[in-house]
Amino acid sequence: QKEVEQNSGPLSVPEGAIASLNCTYSDRVSQSFFWYRQYSGKSPELIMSIYSNGDKEDGRFTAQLNKASQYVSLLIRDSQPSDSATYLCAVTGSNFGNEKLTFGTGTRLTIIP
Amino acid sequence: DVKVTQSSRYLVKRTGEKVFLECVQDMDHENMFWYRQDPGLGLRLIYFSYDVKMKEKGDIPEGYSVSREKKERFSLILESASTNQTSMYLCASAGGRQVSLGEQYFGPGTRLTVT
């Protein structure tokens, strides 16, 4: 069983619409959750982190965490062509400061102008 | 800004060669990581280090070793390169004991081809 699961896509969204990316994880004791963006041919970059249940907003991005359902999502409002990338969900276990990051395989997002 | 650099963007080596991949970070981070990224398999952790001269195995350490003699530098060594080690290798660093190790900064990657 994969530890972090994402729909591989591709997910196509019209420009200006909301893109919704989903991720589930198997380890119930997971503590910290991250979204990384990876443009084609580039390395991943951190765009959002979330540590407690609920929503966290940063500009056009909102991360949502539901630990009871073991589910984390990323919403991108007013999608732009520059948002076209692969989005990686990542999760760490317990013991803050001594944890390993486990990545999902990523969802490829395409914003259609 | 955090800067993580890797010694080569592209590398071609022959089977059986010893290969060194170097990574340097300039933000005084304690923690450094080596991953490989393959289509359909995602990012997989090879080795990581929490401090100078410390190393911990990740999920796929077989066929690899690491060295961390200085805080800013973390080297990945392929003792005897094989074709199944053809991959994109990514180095990352993360800082401080007050910051989650999930907040990682990646280098540009080294695409290694073993023929």
Side-chain angles (χ1 to χ4, degrees):
Chain A
Q1 182 187 2
K2 285 186 181 177
E3 295 182 38
V4 180
E5 292 214 41
Q6 298 180 251
N7 188 324
S8 62
L11 176 65
S12 296
V13 173
E15 183 175 356
I18 296 174
S20 178
L21 304 163
N22 304 314
C23 173
T24 58
Y25 59 95
S26 60
D27 188 351
R28 188 166 288 279
V29 301
S30 296
Q31 292 292 323
S32 307
F33 307 87
F34 306 88
W35 284 98
Y36 283 78
R37 178 176 62 199
Q38 187 172 24
Y39 291 115
S40 180
K42 302 293 186 181
S43 56
E45 59 177 327
L46 178 67
I47 56 171
M48 288 288 283
S49 58
I50 186 165
Y51 301 101
S52 55
N53 277 328
D55 294 0
K56 179 182 177 183
E57 188 174 317
D58 183 0
R60 295 186 296 111
F61 297 95
T62 299
Q64 299 175 316
L65 174 62
N66 184 327
K67 288 189 178 180
S69 301
Q70 295 177 234
Y71 176 90
V72 59
S73 64
L74 180 71
L75 301 178
I76 306 174
R77 290 183 301 281
D78 188 24
S79 296
Q80 303 297 310
S82 60
D83 295 325
S84 297
T86 296
Y87 289 81
L88 306 174
C89 174
V91 173
T92 65
S94 57
N95 304 321
F96 183 83
N98 193 32
E99 68 271 43
K100 219 171 53 172
L101 194 60
T102 300
F103 286 87
T105 53
T107 298
R108 187 153 58 93
L109 174 65
T110 300
I111 305 301
I112 304 167
Chain B
D1 281 350
V2 176
K3 190 169 182 183
V4 181
T5 57
Q6 296 183 228
S7 49
S8 306
R9 287 287 279 132
Y10 300 94
L11 208 52
V12 180
K13 295 292 182 181
R14 293 185 180 270
T15 301
E17 279 193 85
K18 191 169 186 176
V19 181
F20 293 87
L21 302 182
E22 299 273 313
C23 175
V24 177
Q25 50 93 6
D26 67 357
M27 282 302 291
D28 203 34
H29 284 170
E30 287 86 0
N31 313 288
M32 297 187 75
F33 309 83
W34 275 107
Y35 296 89
R36 62 178 284 178
Q37 187 172 31
D38 302 287
L41 297 176
L43 275 159
R44 293 179 292 167
L45 182 64
I46 304 170
Y47 266 99
F48 57 107
S49 170
Y50 291 127
D51 203 347
V52 176
K53 296 194 185 294
M54 286 185 60
K55 59 184 179 185
E56 297 283 343
K57 292 180 179 179
D59 298 319
I60 52 165
E62 296 78 18
Y64 304 95
S65 62
V66 291
S67 173
R68 192 157 180 212
E69 296 297 318
K70 293 185 177 181
K71 190 175 185 179
E72 68 271 17
R73 188 179 299 268
F74 192 34
S75 301
L76 180 70
I77 303 153
L78 286 65
E79 297 290 344
S80 177
S82 64
T83 55
N84 63 12
Q85 292 179 310
T86 292
S87 186
M88 172 66 83
Y89 289 87
L90 290 158
C91 175
S93 73
R97 288 169 181 84
Q98 303 305 315
V99 175
S100 170
L101 296 188
E103 297 187 10
Q104 296 184 9
Y105 296 85
F106 283 83
T110 296
R111 182 162 295 281
L112 173 67
T113 302
V114 183
T115 62

